[in-house]
């Protein structure tokens, strides 16, 4: 099975958002920070009779909600910048994957280089709504959009059979 992977800006943007927010869950710290400071602000507002409590509550609320807003705004600005740097508009052929039922490796090639990875060394596969994210290592992934695949089910079943269910995650 040979898959010529043609990526667009949309594919890359979806991958970055998936990787940072869904897979690595880096949204947790700002949300916890906002929750703690908002709860503290509510306590200050409840104690409005104490001198300075309302002012302190207001400061805590502004900081507690402002910092996560700045975090997410800078995150999405960074995603936009990274997507533009990839020059995927118009969509272009980025790499080609080759694998089969009887092979023990996946071969990946582009214009400049070729690499082969044994299935037993592949880190994880994520089957999302529009794309498969095949992580070769914890930090390096290859994207396989379903639109470039002839038989989505055959590819998904082959990858699952090679990696095993414990190294595959289906999107819900």
């Amino acid at each position: 099975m040979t898959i010529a992977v043609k990526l667009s800006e949309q594919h890359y943007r979806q991958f970055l958002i998936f990787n940072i927010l869904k897979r690595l869950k880096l949204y947790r710290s700002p949300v916890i920070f906002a929750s703690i400071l908002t709860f503290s602000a509510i306590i200050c507002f409840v104690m409005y009779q104490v001198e300075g409590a309302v002012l302190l509550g207001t400061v805590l609320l502004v900081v507690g909600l402002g910092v996560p807003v700045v975090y997410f705004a800078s995150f999405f600005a960074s995603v936009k910048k990274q997507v533009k740097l990839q020059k995927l508009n118009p969509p272009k052929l980025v790499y080609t994957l080759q694998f089969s039922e009887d092979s023990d490796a996946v071969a990946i090639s582009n214009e400049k280089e070729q690499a082969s990875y044994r299935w037993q060394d592949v880190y994880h596969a994520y089957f999302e709504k529009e794309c498969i994210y095949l992580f070769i290592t914890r930090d390096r992934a290859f994207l396989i959009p379903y639109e470039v695949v002839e038989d989505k089910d055959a590819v998904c079943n082959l990858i699952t059979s090679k990696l095993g269910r414990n190294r595959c995650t289906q999107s819900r």
Side-chain angles (χ1 to χ4, degrees):
M1 177 176 310
T2 300
I3 303 171
V5 177
K6 197 174 192 180
L7 293 179
S8 68
E9 286 185 346
Q10 180 183 355
H11 294 129
Y12 193 64
R13 182 179 303 104
Q14 288 173 341
F15 169 72
L16 290 174
I17 292 169
F18 162 82
N19 191 44
I20 300 297
L21 298 180
K22 189 172 180 181
R23 187 177 81 91
L24 297 175
K25 297 180 181 13
L26 294 182
Y27 65 87
R28 288 180 177 171
S29 294
V31 169
I32 291 170
F33 178 82
S35 300
I36 291 170
L37 265 62
T38 300
F39 181 74
S40 299
I42 291 170
I43 291 173
C44 289
F45 292 139
V46 168
M47 300 175 61
Y48 67 91
Q49 296 167 335
V50 176
E51 186 178 336
V54 173
L55 177 62
L56 178 60
T58 303
V59 170
L60 289 172
L61 190 61
V62 168
V63 172
L65 298 177
V67 169
V69 167
V70 170
Y71 173 85
F72 286 111
S74 65
F75 166 72
F76 285 108
S78 171
V79 165
K80 186 175 182 178
K81 183 179 178 182
Q82 289 179 43
V83 167
K84 290 291 179 201
L85 287 174
Q86 294 300 316
K87 298 178 183 171
L88 296 173
N89 189 16
K92 67 178 181 180
L93 178 67
V94 181
Y95 45 81
T96 303
L97 290 96
Q98 293 181 316
F99 51 85
S100 65
E101 188 69 48
D102 56 346
S103 69
D104 64 340
V106 57
I108 302 168
S109 61
N110 63 21
E111 296 172 347
K112 300 175 186 173
E113 60 187 354
Q114 290 185 322
S116 182
Y117 301 95
R118 296 182 317 175
W119 284 109
Q120 66 188 30
D121 296 332
V122 172
Y123 180 73
H124 204 93
Y126 294 89
F127 301 98
E128 289 296 306
K129 182 180 176 185
E130 296 182 17
C131 199
I132 300 169
Y133 303 128
L134 186 63
F135 278 81
I136 300 302
T137 66
R138 180 167 163 39
D139 299 320
R140 184 169 185 199
F142 291 98
L143 286 64
I144 308 170
Y146 292 130
E147 63 193 43
V148 301
V149 175
E150 288 181 26
D151 187 355
K152 171 186 166 184
D153 293 332
V155 172
C156 292
N157 290 337
L158 179 62
I159 292 172
T160 302
S161 71
K162 292 295 185 178
L163 296 181
R165 295 226 178 260
N166 59 335
R167 290 191 294 156
C168 293
T169 302
Q170 297 283 338
S171 177
R172 291 181 179 83

Short mmCIF file of all heavy atoms in Angstrom, two decimals, residues 73-117:
data_model
loop_
_atom_site.label_atom_id
_atom_site.label_comp_id
_atom_site.label_asym_id
_atom_site.label_seq_id
_atom_site.Cartn_x
_atom_site.Cartn_y
_atom_site.Cartn_z
N ALA A 73 -4.67 33.08 23.36
CA ALA A 73 -4.52 33.99 22.22
C ALA A 73 -3.13 33.84 21.61
O ALA A 73 -2.98 33.76 20.38
CB ALA A 73 -4.77 35.43 22.63
N SER A 74 -2.10 33.76 22.45
CA SER A 74 -0.75 33.58 21.93
C SER A 74 -0.57 32.19 21.33
O SER A 74 0.14 32.02 20.34
CB SER A 74 0.30 33.85 23.01
OG SER A 74 0.23 32.89 24.04
N PHE A 75 -1.24 31.20 21.91
CA PHE A 75 -1.17 29.84 21.34
C PHE A 75 -1.73 29.83 19.92
O PHE A 75 -1.09 29.32 18.99
CB PHE A 75 -1.94 28.84 22.21
CG PHE A 75 -2.21 27.53 21.53
CD1 PHE A 75 -1.18 26.63 21.31
CD2 PHE A 75 -3.48 27.21 21.09
CE1 PHE A 75 -1.42 25.42 20.67
CE2 PHE A 75 -3.73 26.01 20.44
CZ PHE A 75 -2.70 25.11 20.24
N PHE A 76 -2.92 30.40 19.73
CA PHE A 76 -3.53 30.37 18.40
C PHE A 76 -2.78 31.27 17.42
O PHE A 76 -2.72 30.97 16.23
CB PHE A 76 -5.02 30.71 18.48
CG PHE A 76 -5.83 29.57 19.02
CD1 PHE A 76 -6.37 29.62 20.29
CD2 PHE A 76 -6.02 28.42 18.27
CE1 PHE A 76 -7.09 28.56 20.80
CE2 PHE A 76 -6.75 27.34 18.78
CZ PHE A 76 -7.28 27.42 20.04
N ALA A 77 -2.18 32.36 17.90
CA ALA A 77 -1.33 33.18 17.03
C ALA A 77 -0.10 32.39 16.60
O ALA A 77 0.33 32.47 15.44
CB ALA A 77 -0.93 34.47 17.74
N SER A 78 0.47 31.62 17.52
CA SER A 78 1.62 30.79 17.21
C SER A 78 1.26 29.70 16.20
O SER A 78 2.02 29.41 15.28
CB SER A 78 2.17 30.15 18.49
OG SER A 78 3.15 29.19 18.20
N VAL A 79 0.09 29.09 16.37
CA VAL A 79 -0.38 28.08 15.41
C VAL A 79 -0.51 28.69 14.03
O VAL A 79 -0.04 28.12 13.03
CB VAL A 79 -1.73 27.47 15.86
CG1 VAL A 79 -2.40 26.70 14.74
CG2 VAL A 79 -1.52 26.57 17.07
N LYS A 80 -1.09 29.86 13.95
CA LYS A 80 -1.26 30.54 12.66
C LYS A 80 0.09 30.80 12.01
O LYS A 80 0.27 30.58 10.80
CB LYS A 80 -2.02 31.86 12.87
CG LYS A 80 -2.38 32.58 11.61
CD LYS A 80 -3.23 33.81 11.91
CE LYS A 80 -3.62 34.51 10.63
NZ LYS A 80 -4.48 35.67 10.89
N LYS A 81 1.06 31.25 12.80
CA LYS A 81 2.41 31.53 12.28
C LYS A 81 3.09 30.24 11.80
O LYS A 81 3.69 30.21 10.73
CB LYS A 81 3.24 32.21 13.36
CG LYS A 81 4.61 32.61 12.92
CD LYS A 81 5.37 33.30 14.04
CE LYS A 81 6.77 33.68 13.61
NZ LYS A 81 7.51 34.31 14.71
N GLN A 82 2.99 29.17 12.59
CA GLN A 82 3.61 27.90 12.21
C GLN A 82 3.00 27.33 10.93
O GLN A 82 3.70 26.77 10.09
CB GLN A 82 3.47 26.88 13.34
CG GLN A 82 4.33 27.17 14.54
CD GLN A 82 4.13 26.14 15.64
OE1 GLN A 82 4.05 24.96 15.37
NE2 GLN A 82 4.02 26.60 16.87
N VAL A 83 1.69 27.48 10.80
CA VAL A 83 1.01 26.99 9.60
C VAL A 83 1.51 27.74 8.38
O VAL A 83 1.80 27.14 7.34
CB VAL A 83 -0.53 27.12 9.76
CG1 VAL A 83 -1.24 26.93 8.44
CG2 VAL A 83 -1.03 26.11 10.79
N LYS A 84 1.64 29.05 8.48
CA LYS A 84 2.13 29.86 7.35
C LYS A 84 3.57 29.48 6.98
O LYS A 84 3.92 29.46 5.81
CB LYS A 84 2.06 31.35 7.68
CG LYS A 84 0.66 31.88 7.74
CD LYS A 84 0.02 31.90 6.36
CE LYS A 84 -1.40 32.43 6.45
NZ LYS A 84 -2.21 32.05 5.32
N LEU A 85 4.39 29.17 7.99
CA LEU A 85 5.79 28.82 7.73
C LEU A 85 5.93 27.52 6.94
O LEU A 85 6.94 27.31 6.26
CB LEU A 85 6.57 28.70 9.05
CG LEU A 85 6.88 30.01 9.77
CD1 LEU A 85 7.51 29.73 11.13
CD2 LEU A 85 7.79 30.88 8.93
N GLN A 86 4.94 26.65 7.01
CA GLN A 86 5.00 25.37 6.29
C GLN A 86 4.71 25.51 4.79
O GLN A 86 4.95 24.60 4.03
CB GLN A 86 4.04 24.36 6.92
CG GLN A 86 4.40 23.96 8.32
CD GLN A 86 5.77 23.31 8.39
OE1 GLN A 86 6.12 22.48 7.58
NE2 GLN A 86 6.55 23.73 9.37
N LYS A 87 4.17 26.65 4.41
CA LYS A 87 3.87 26.94 2.99
C LYS A 87 3.04 25.83 2.35
O LYS A 87 3.43 25.25 1.34
CB LYS A 87 5.16 27.18 2.22
CG LYS A 87 5.94 28.37 2.73
CD LYS A 87 7.24 28.56 1.99
CE LYS A 87 7.99 29.73 2.60
NZ LYS A 87 9.34 29.85 2.10
N LEU A 88 1.91 25.54 2.95
CA LEU A 88 1.03 24.48 2.47
C LEU A 88 -0.19 25.03 1.73
O LEU A 88 -1.19 24.35 1.59
CB LEU A 88 0.58 23.61 3.65
CG LEU A 88 1.68 22.84 4.36
CD1 LEU A 88 1.14 22.15 5.60
CD2 LEU A 88 2.31 21.82 3.42
N ASN A 89 -0.09 26.26 1.26
CA ASN A 89 -1.18 26.83 0.47
C ASN A 89 -0.62 27.22 -0.89
O ASN A 89 0.18 28.14 -0.97
CB ASN A 89 -1.77 28.06 1.17
CG ASN A 89 -3.03 28.55 0.49
OD1 ASN A 89 -3.64 27.84 -0.30
ND2 ASN A 89 -3.41 29.77 0.82
N PRO A 90 -0.93 26.53 -1.93
CA PRO A 90 -1.87 25.43 -2.06
C PRO A 90 -1.31 24.14 -1.45
O PRO A 90 -0.10 24.03 -1.24
CB PRO A 90 -2.05 25.29 -3.58
CG PRO A 90 -0.76 25.79 -4.15
CD PRO A 90 -0.30 26.88 -3.21
N PRO A 91 -2.18 23.15 -1.20
CA PRO A 91 -1.71 21.87 -0.64
C PRO A 91 -0.62 21.27 -1.51
O PRO A 91 -0.63 21.41 -2.73
CB PRO A 91 -2.96 21.00 -0.66
CG PRO A 91 -4.10 21.96 -0.63
CD PRO A 91 -3.63 23.17 -1.40
N LYS A 92 0.34 20.62 -0.85
CA LYS A 92 1.45 20.03 -1.61
C LYS A 92 1.80 18.64 -1.09
O LYS A 92 1.51 18.30 0.06
CB LYS A 92 2.67 20.94 -1.58
CG LYS A 92 3.31 21.08 -0.22
CD LYS A 92 4.54 21.97 -0.30
CE LYS A 92 5.19 22.09 1.06
NZ LYS A 92 6.36 22.94 1.05
N LEU A 93 2.43 17.87 -1.97
CA LEU A 93 2.91 16.53 -1.62
C LEU A 93 4.08 16.70 -0.66
O LEU A 93 5.07 17.36 -0.99
CB LEU A 93 3.34 15.77 -2.87
CG LEU A 93 3.90 14.38 -2.63
CD1 LEU A 93 2.83 13.44 -2.11
CD2 LEU A 93 4.50 13.83 -3.91
N VAL A 94 3.96 16.12 0.53
CA VAL A 94 4.98 16.29 1.55
C VAL A 94 5.84 15.03 1.68
O VAL A 94 7.06 15.11 1.75
CB VAL A 94 4.33 16.65 2.90
CG1 VAL A 94 5.38 16.84 3.97
CG2 VAL A 94 3.48 17.90 2.77
N TYR A 95 5.20 13.87 1.69
CA TYR A 95 5.93 12.60 1.79
C TYR A 95 5.04 11.47 1.31
O TYR A 95 3.85 11.64 1.11
CB TYR A 95 6.41 12.32 3.23
CG TYR A 95 5.38 12.58 4.30
CD1 TYR A 95 4.39 11.64 4.58
CD2 TYR A 95 5.39 13.75 5.03
CE1 TYR A 95 3.45 11.86 5.56
CE2 TYR A 95 4.45 13.99 6.03
CZ TYR A 95 3.49 13.05 6.28
OH TYR A 95 2.55 13.28 7.25
N THR A 96 5.68 10.31 1.14
CA THR A 96 4.97 9.11 0.70
C THR A 96 5.24 8.00 1.71
O THR A 96 6.39 7.79 2.11
CB THR A 96 5.46 8.68 -0.70
OG1 THR A 96 5.26 9.77 -1.61
CG2 THR A 96 4.71 7.47 -1.19
N LEU A 97 4.18 7.32 2.11
CA LEU A 97 4.30 6.19 3.03
C LEU A 97 4.05 4.90 2.27
O LEU A 97 3.17 4.85 1.41
CB LEU A 97 3.28 6.29 4.16
CG LEU A 97 3.48 7.38 5.19
CD1 LEU A 97 2.67 8.59 4.83
CD2 LEU A 97 3.11 6.89 6.55
N GLN A 98 4.81 3.87 2.62
CA GLN A 98 4.61 2.55 2.03
C GLN A 98 4.63 1.51 3.14
O GLN A 98 5.56 1.47 3.95
CB GLN A 98 5.70 2.22 1.01
CG GLN A 98 5.65 3.09 -0.22
CD GLN A 98 6.74 2.70 -1.20
OE1 GLN A 98 7.87 2.47 -0.82
NE2 GLN A 98 6.38 2.64 -2.47
N PHE A 99 3.59 0.67 3.15
CA PHE A 99 3.54 -0.44 4.10
C PHE A 99 2.53 -1.45 3.58
O PHE A 99 1.72 -1.16 2.71
CB PHE A 99 3.20 0.02 5.52
CG PHE A 99 1.97 0.90 5.62
CD1 PHE A 99 0.70 0.36 5.72
CD2 PHE A 99 2.11 2.28 5.63
CE1 PHE A 99 -0.42 1.16 5.84
CE2 PHE A 99 0.99 3.10 5.75
CZ PHE A 99 -0.27 2.54 5.85
N SER A 100 2.66 -2.66 4.10
CA SER A 100 1.74 -3.72 3.69
C SER A 100 1.51 -4.67 4.86
O SER A 100 2.20 -4.60 5.88
CB SER A 100 2.29 -4.48 2.48
OG SER A 100 3.48 -5.15 2.83
N GLU A 101 0.58 -5.58 4.66
CA GLU A 101 0.22 -6.54 5.70
C GLU A 101 1.41 -7.43 6.08
O GLU A 101 1.59 -7.76 7.24
CB GLU A 101 -0.95 -7.40 5.21
CG GLU A 101 -1.54 -8.30 6.26
CD GLU A 101 -2.27 -7.55 7.36
OE1 GLU A 101 -3.08 -6.67 7.04
OE2 GLU A 101 -2.04 -7.86 8.54
N ASP A 102 2.23 -7.79 5.12
CA ASP A 102 3.33 -8.72 5.41
C ASP A 102 4.66 -8.03 5.70
O ASP A 102 5.66 -8.70 5.93
CB ASP A 102 3.50 -9.72 4.25
CG ASP A 102 3.71 -9.04 2.92
OD1 ASP A 102 3.48 -7.82 2.81
OD2 ASP A 102 4.11 -9.75 1.97
N SER A 103 4.68 -6.70 5.73
CA SER A 103 5.92 -6.00 6.04
C SER A 103 6.02 -5.75 7.54
O SER A 103 5.00 -5.61 8.22
CB SER A 103 6.01 -4.68 5.28
OG SER A 103 5.05 -3.77 5.77
N ASP A 104 7.23 -5.67 8.05
CA ASP A 104 7.41 -5.38 9.46
C ASP A 104 7.86 -3.93 9.68
O ASP A 104 8.27 -3.56 10.76
CB ASP A 104 8.40 -6.35 10.09
CG ASP A 104 9.80 -6.22 9.52
OD1 ASP A 104 9.94 -5.68 8.41
OD2 ASP A 104 10.76 -6.64 10.20
N ALA A 105 7.77 -3.10 8.62
CA ALA A 105 8.18 -1.70 8.73
C ALA A 105 7.31 -0.82 7.84
O ALA A 105 6.68 -1.29 6.90
CB ALA A 105 9.65 -1.57 8.32
N VAL A 106 7.33 0.46 8.17
CA VAL A 106 6.68 1.46 7.34
C VAL A 106 7.80 2.31 6.75
O VAL A 106 8.69 2.77 7.46
CB VAL A 106 5.66 2.31 8.15
CG1 VAL A 106 6.29 2.98 9.34
CG2 VAL A 106 4.99 3.35 7.27
N ALA A 107 7.78 2.47 5.43
CA ALA A 107 8.80 3.27 4.74
C ALA A 107 8.21 4.63 4.42
O ALA A 107 7.09 4.74 3.92
CB ALA A 107 9.23 2.56 3.47
N ILE A 108 9.00 5.65 4.70
CA ILE A 108 8.56 7.02 4.45
C ILE A 108 9.64 7.72 3.66
O ILE A 108 10.82 7.65 3.99
CB ILE A 108 8.30 7.75 5.79
CG1 ILE A 108 7.25 6.98 6.59
CG2 ILE A 108 7.86 9.19 5.55
CD1 ILE A 108 7.10 7.39 8.01
N SER A 109 9.20 8.39 2.59
CA SER A 109 10.18 9.08 1.75
C SER A 109 9.62 10.43 1.30
O SER A 109 8.42 10.63 1.22
CB SER A 109 10.53 8.22 0.53
OG SER A 109 9.37 7.97 -0.24
N ASN A 110 10.55 11.33 1.01
CA ASN A 110 10.21 12.61 0.40
C ASN A 110 11.25 12.91 -0.66
O ASN A 110 12.03 12.03 -1.01
CB ASN A 110 10.08 13.74 1.45
CG ASN A 110 11.38 14.01 2.18
OD1 ASN A 110 12.48 13.69 1.72
ND2 ASN A 110 11.27 14.62 3.34
N GLU A 111 11.31 14.13 -1.15
CA GLU A 111 12.24 14.47 -2.23
C GLU A 111 13.70 14.28 -1.82
O GLU A 111 14.54 13.95 -2.64
CB GLU A 111 12.04 15.92 -2.65
CG GLU A 111 10.70 16.22 -3.24
CD GLU A 111 10.49 17.71 -3.45
OE1 GLU A 111 11.28 18.53 -2.93
OE2 GLU A 111 9.52 18.05 -4.15
N LYS A 112 14.00 14.48 -0.54
CA LYS A 112 15.39 14.52 -0.08
C LYS A 112 15.87 13.26 0.62
O LYS A 112 17.06 12.96 0.59
CB LYS A 112 15.58 15.70 0.87
CG LYS A 112 15.28 17.04 0.23
CD LYS A 112 15.37 18.15 1.25
CE LYS A 112 14.91 19.45 0.63
NZ LYS A 112 14.82 20.52 1.61
N GLU A 113 14.97 12.54 1.28
CA GLU A 113 15.43 11.42 2.10
C GLU A 113 14.40 10.30 2.17
O GLU A 113 13.25 10.48 1.83
CB GLU A 113 15.79 11.90 3.50
CG GLU A 113 14.63 12.52 4.25
CD GLU A 113 15.04 13.15 5.57
OE1 GLU A 113 16.20 13.01 5.98
OE2 GLU A 113 14.18 13.78 6.19
N GLN A 114 14.90 9.14 2.64
CA GLN A 114 14.05 7.98 2.87
C GLN A 114 14.34 7.44 4.26
O GLN A 114 15.48 7.47 4.71
CB GLN A 114 14.32 6.89 1.84
CG GLN A 114 13.87 7.22 0.45
CD GLN A 114 14.06 6.04 -0.49
OE1 GLN A 114 15.05 5.32 -0.39
NE2 GLN A 114 13.12 5.85 -1.39
N ALA A 115 13.30 6.95 4.91
CA ALA A 115 13.47 6.35 6.23
C ALA A 115 12.53 5.17 6.36
O ALA A 115 11.50 5.10 5.69
CB ALA A 115 13.19 7.37 7.32
N SER A 116 12.92 4.24 7.21
CA SER A 116 12.10 3.08 7.47
C SER A 116 12.00 2.88 8.98
O SER A 116 13.00 2.97 9.69
CB SER A 116 12.72 1.85 6.82
OG SER A 116 11.91 0.73 7.01
N TYR A 117 10.79 2.65 9.45
CA TYR A 117 10.56 2.47 10.88
C TYR A 117 9.86 1.14 11.11
O TYR A 117 8.84 0.86 10.47
CB TYR A 117 9.68 3.60 11.44
CG TYR A 117 10.27 4.97 11.24
CD1 TYR A 117 9.91 5.75 10.14
CD2 TYR A 117 11.19 5.49 12.14
CE1 TYR A 117 10.46 7.01 9.95
CE2 TYR A 117 11.74 6.75 11.96
CZ TYR A 117 11.36 7.50 10.86
OH TYR A 117 11.91 8.74 10.68
#
